[in-house]
Amino acid sequence: MFYQGILVQTDRDFPSFHLHPQHYFCRMKLTQLRPVFLAILAFIVASTSQAQKTSRKQFPGTKISMMVPDSFKYAVRFNGFESPKQGLSFMLSDIHMGIEHNVNGFTAEKLKIQSVDLINKEEIKKPDAPVGYLYTMKLKLRKEPYVKFVYMMGDSSHTNMISGFVPEADSSLITGIKELMHSILYDPNAIENPWDALEFTIDLSQTDLKFTKFGAGGTVYSKDGTYPSKGIDHTAILVGTSIRSFSPHARRDIALRRLHTLPLADTLIVSKEDSVVIDGLPGYEFTASGLTKEKVNETVYLVVLFENDQKYYILACNTNVNIDKNLALFRKVVRTFKRK
C-alpha cells in the first residue's frame, strides 16, 4: 500500500504490495530514496559524525530485531525506525518469495545488469535463526557513488530483506552500518506485536482473530492468519492511516473510494451508510456486499475517521459467515478505536 519510490505508496492500497528485489534496482535510479511498501529495510544516510548509543529494537509485527541508535523512533509510514533530523531510516519488509529465489537474483552477473557491482557475499549463521546472507555492493545514486548493504533471511515461502545505503566516501559510516547489519537477530520466541508502532489502539479481545501482517501505519488480523483469507472463514479486520492531504469537501468520496479499493470483491454494493463520530473524530460508516472472484458473497463493514485534512483512519472489516453476528462484533470493535 503505502509508498513512493522503490515501490509506490498511495493512500489507496492497504496492505502493501511488493516488488522483486531486482525491480527495486531498476526503479531506484528514477526516484528519491524514500520509504516504500516494497520490501526492505532501507538505511538512507544523510550525514552524521557523532557516535550514538544504540539499543536492540524489534521491528513491529515481526520476530526480527537489530541494534539501532536510541534517537530513532518508530516510523509512521513504513515498518521500521527513523530519525528525520539526521535523514536516516530503517525499514523492514517481507517479500513473498522464497529465500532461494531471491539469493539467486543477487548474483554478480544479474546485479551488473542493474549497474550494481557486487563486492562481497557473506553467509551468516546464528542460533535458532535461518541462514542469513549479507551482501556488499557499489552503485551510483544521482551520479554519486554509494555502498549498499543487503541482509536477507527467510524460508521457502518468504524473504526478509534489510538494506543500507552509505556514501562511499564516508568510511566511518560504512563500518558502522556493517556492524548494525551483523546485529540483526531472528528470535522464534518473540511476540509479534504491531501496536507499539501504531498511533492508535483497538480492542480485539472479544475476537478470535490472528495477527496477520503489519504495514505502514496499520495492521491486519484475520481468522486464518492470511489476508485476503485463504480459508473457508474470511473474517478479518484491517486498520491503518492515510498519508496524503485531501480536500475537506471530498471526505465522503474518499471514504467510498477506500471501500471500493479493498482487495475483497470485484464489485461492492452499499446497503447502509451513516455518519459516525468515534474518539471525537467525524467520519462515515458503510455496510456493503459483493462476490469474490471465487463467487463467494463477502460482506464488508468500513469506517473512515477524519482527524484533519492531512490524515484519516481506515477500519475495514469483512466476513462471509455468521453475517449478522459478525457485523455486530465489527461495530463494537470499531468503537473501541482510540488515538494514543
Side-chain angles (χ1 to χ4, degrees), residues 33 40 68 92 99 110 120 152 157 162 166 177 189 193 202 211 237 249 254 266 274 300 330 334:
L33 288 174
I40 52 180
V68 296
L92 173 71
I99 182 68
K110 292 180 180 179
N120 185 52
M152 288 194 291
S157 63
I162 302 166
V166 191
I177 292 180
N189 298 316
N193 176 24
I202 60 171
F211 168 72
I237 295 178
H249 305 294
I254 291 169
D266 291 336
D274 285 304
V300 176
F330 292 157
V334 163

Side-chain angles (χ1 to χ4, degrees), residues 45-258:
V45 177
S47 62
T48 182
S49 59
Q50 297 181 351
Q52 298 184 52
K53 281 189 174 182
T54 60
S55 59
R56 182 163 297 280
K57 293 185 179 181
Q58 185 174 334
F59 289 94
T62 77
K63 297 178 182 291
I64 299 172
S65 65
M66 71 180 296
M67 301 297 292
V68 296
D70 290 345
S71 59
F72 281 63
K73 307 299 181 183
Y74 286 112
V76 175
R77 299 182 178 183
F78 56 91
N79 186 358
F81 315 100
E82 63 182 347
S83 178
K85 291 183 179 180
Q86 296 173 290
L88 306 177
S89 60
F90 299 79
M91 293 171 54
L92 173 71
S93 184
D94 189 14
I95 303 172
H96 299 292
M97 287 180 285
I99 182 68
E100 183 177 355
H101 178 85
N102 288 291
V103 168
N104 289 340
F106 275 75
T107 64
E109 294 78 11
K110 292 180 180 179
L111 292 173
K112 191 68 175 180
I113 296 174
Q114 311 300 331
S115 300
V116 177
D117 294 321
L118 178 62
I119 306 304
N120 185 52
K121 174 186 175 182
E122 181 181 355
E123 186 175 294
I124 299 176
K125 295 182 179 180
K126 297 181 180 180
D128 300 319
V131 175
Y133 301 90
L134 178 59
Y135 297 84
T136 304
M137 295 166 280
K138 288 186 179 182
L139 69 162
K140 287 190 176 181
L141 301 174
R142 294 182 176 181
K143 299 182 180 180
E144 295 297 324
Y146 274 74
V147 171
K148 178 183 180 182
F149 295 101
V150 172
Y151 189 105
M152 288 194 291
M153 70 172 79
D155 56 26
S156 60
S157 63
H158 79 285
T159 302
N160 290 119
M161 183 180 291
I162 302 166
S163 301
F165 294 91
V166 191
E168 187 179 357
D170 198 326
S171 58
S172 61
L173 274 176
I174 291 173
T175 300
I177 292 180
K178 189 170 185 178
E179 291 177 357
L180 292 177
M181 290 295 177
H182 276 278
S183 77
I184 295 167
L185 290 178
Y186 172 86
D187 180 1
N189 298 316
I191 298 174
E192 299 172 321
N193 176 24
W195 296 103
D196 287 345
L198 297 178
E199 300 177 335
F200 57 89
T201 63
I202 60 171
D203 184 0
L204 295 171
S205 61
Q206 297 187 43
T207 75
D208 57 355
L209 303 179
K210 301 176 183 178
F211 168 72
T212 300
K213 63 175 65 178
F214 173 88
T219 188
V220 182
Y221 283 74
S222 70
K223 192 75 173 183
D224 68 348
T226 64
Y227 185 84
S229 176
K230 297 178 182 177
I232 296 175
D233 187 340
H234 296 177
T235 306
I237 295 178
L238 173 158
V239 293
T241 60
S242 69
I243 64 166
R244 289 187 174 184
S245 59
F246 48 87
S247 168
H249 305 294
R251 290 184 171 186
R252 180 179 176 275
D253 292 340
I254 291 169
L256 275 172
R257 188 160 59 245
R258 291 309 305 252

